[in-house]
Amino acid sequence: MLIQTQVDPYNKVIATIKSCKTKSQLEGASRMVENFKTLYKKVGYPKTISYSLNNTLKQQYIITRCQL
């Protein structure tokens, strides 16, 4: 049960990033990612989660830029 609790906020951040359609929404998602990393750094989390969040955000920036 503990693992699901840690993964659920991560999945919510990923879903938020993927739902962004504008640059301002992506800026908000970027702040959300930084807040997530700050919070979970204090309790310890795998570096792969940080990489995955950054990579998903980067991909969404590219997708959004191509759509504009």
Side-chain angles (χ1 to χ4, degrees), residues 2 6 36-50:
L2 180 62
Q6 291 176 345
F36 179 91
K37 287 195 247 179
T38 300
L39 176 66
Y40 282 89
K41 184 179 264 187
K42 293 179 182 179
V43 296
Y45 67 98
K47 295 286 184 185
T48 56
I49 290 177
S50 177

Side-chain angles (χ1 to χ4, degrees), residues 8-22:
D8 191 46
Y10 166 78
N11 288 332
K12 289 180 181 181
V13 174
I14 292 292
T16 300
I17 293 169
K18 289 184 177 183
S19 71
C20 293
K21 303 290 184 211
T22 66

Side-chain angles (χ1 to χ4, degrees), residues 18 25 29-30 33 40 42 46 59 61 63:
K18 289 184 177 183
Q25 289 174 340
S30 178
V33 167
Y40 282 89
K42 293 179 182 179
Q59 287 175 350
Y61 266 113
I63 291 168

